[in-house]
Amino acid sequence: MRLTDTAVDTAAPGLDAHDAFDALGVVRHTAAPRLNADLLPLLAEADLLDSPATWGSVTTRAGAFRLEPVRPGRDLELLTGWMNDPEVAAYWELAGPAAVTAAHLRSQLDGDGRSIPCLGLLDGTPMSYWEIYRADLDPLSRHYRARPHDTGIHLLIGDGTNRGRGLGTALLRAVADLVLGNRPRCTRVVAEPDIRNTPSVSAFLSSGFRCHAEIDLPEKRAALMVRERALRNLL
């Protein structure tokens, strides 16, 4: 990705480049913003996904929930452990050494910002993994009639003690609200859980998504789940 004023302006409509850098916490002099390596992931997020790092938190019945972009140096060990949980591995197929998880993360972090891997923190504790992605720019868009800025989500709940008690429903509703509340150009949140994953499909349905269709993807048969902005206040 080229770091241009245009890219920053896209992230913050109505702000000039300096104001947008200020919103991201970039230290600058009067002449031009100053970049450092720690800020590059934030700028990548700002380009295509309106910077999930700045979305804040939402209150759920289980506590305050927020998304925090993954930092491999900090989070790789935790995520590798989750990926090797048998219930997670059955659908994510990323079991193995840390290099397997690192490669999966790298494919997103080294990309153009159309997919952002995030930790889900509940009352400050990491307990889930999310991928927020531009569904209209993803291969998924070949399998349904995508709209501009459709935003997709992938997720896993990392700690088995948090599964099986309805928490997934609350978190899915929270993340959909975060997307719709912070991406004004997005009219729909979409997902494509494996149709065999009955608990996941049920959680989507309970959180306000509707099953739009069953679709055949290269790696699975999926339920295309859609949550419409137009119905947000009715759910």
Side-chain angles (χ1 to χ4, degrees):
M1 169 186 169
R2 293 181 60 191
L3 297 177
T4 65
D5 287 350
T6 300
V8 176
D9 288 341
T10 301
L15 299 180
D16 65 22
H18 286 300
D19 288 338
F21 274 88
D22 286 341
L24 290 173
V26 178
V27 177
R28 63 179 176 85
H29 292 298
T30 302
R34 177 186 295 173
L35 299 178
N36 63 58
D38 291 338
L39 292 165
L40 295 181
L42 295 180
L43 293 175
E45 294 153 18
D47 189 18
L48 294 177
L49 280 164
D50 301 310
S51 194
T54 67
W55 288 359
S57 65
V58 61
T59 301
T60 76
R61 60 175 177 78
F65 181 84
R66 65 184 175 89
L67 295 172
E68 182 172 307
V70 165
R71 300 293 181 256
R74 179 194 63 190
D75 304 324
L76 182 58
E77 182 178 357
L78 175 65
L79 292 173
T80 299
W82 289 351
M83 292 301 180
N84 279 278
D85 182 301
E87 290 188 40
V88 172
Y91 297 104
W92 282 75
E93 300 181 345
L94 290 171
V100 175
T101 301
H104 179 75
L105 296 173
R106 193 178 307 115
S107 67
Q108 299 173 80
L109 296 173
D110 292 349
D112 60 4
R114 69 182 62 190
S115 181
I116 305 297
C118 297
L119 289 180
L121 280 69
L122 191 60
D123 287 335
T125 300
M127 47 73 63
S128 54
Y129 171 71
W130 301 76
E131 291 171 355
I132 311 298
Y133 68 98
R134 282 287 296 272
D136 58 324
L137 303 179
D138 188 82
L140 176 63
S141 65
R142 303 170 191 158
H143 300 272
Y144 81 109
R145 188 171 293 179
R147 297 177 189 167
H149 297 282
D150 274 359
T151 303
I153 55 177
H154 298 139
L155 77 148
L156 66 87
I157 296 178
D159 185 344
T161 62
N162 287 317
R163 301 181 200 137
R165 55 190 184 93
L167 186 56
T169 295
L171 298 185
L172 283 168
R173 184 181 294 274
V175 170
D177 285 343
L178 283 170
V179 171
L180 295 173
N182 289 279
R183 301 207 67 234
R185 294 168 294 181
C186 170
T187 62
R188 299 188 298 185
V189 182
V190 304
E192 21 80 16
D194 193 308
I195 201 166
R196 300 170 299 162
N197 192 345
T198 304
S200 179
V201 173
S202 177
F204 276 103
L205 291 172
S206 298
S207 61
F209 286 77
R210 297 293 179 263
C211 187
H212 187 76
E214 292 184 12
I215 55 177
D216 288 311
L217 302 178
E219 70 282 6
K220 63 186 178 184
R221 184 164 179 79
L224 179 65
M225 312 301 294
V226 178
R227 184 173 173 189
E228 298 271 0
R229 175 183 291 279
L231 300 178
R232 184 182 181 192
N233 293 329
L234 302 178
L235 299 174

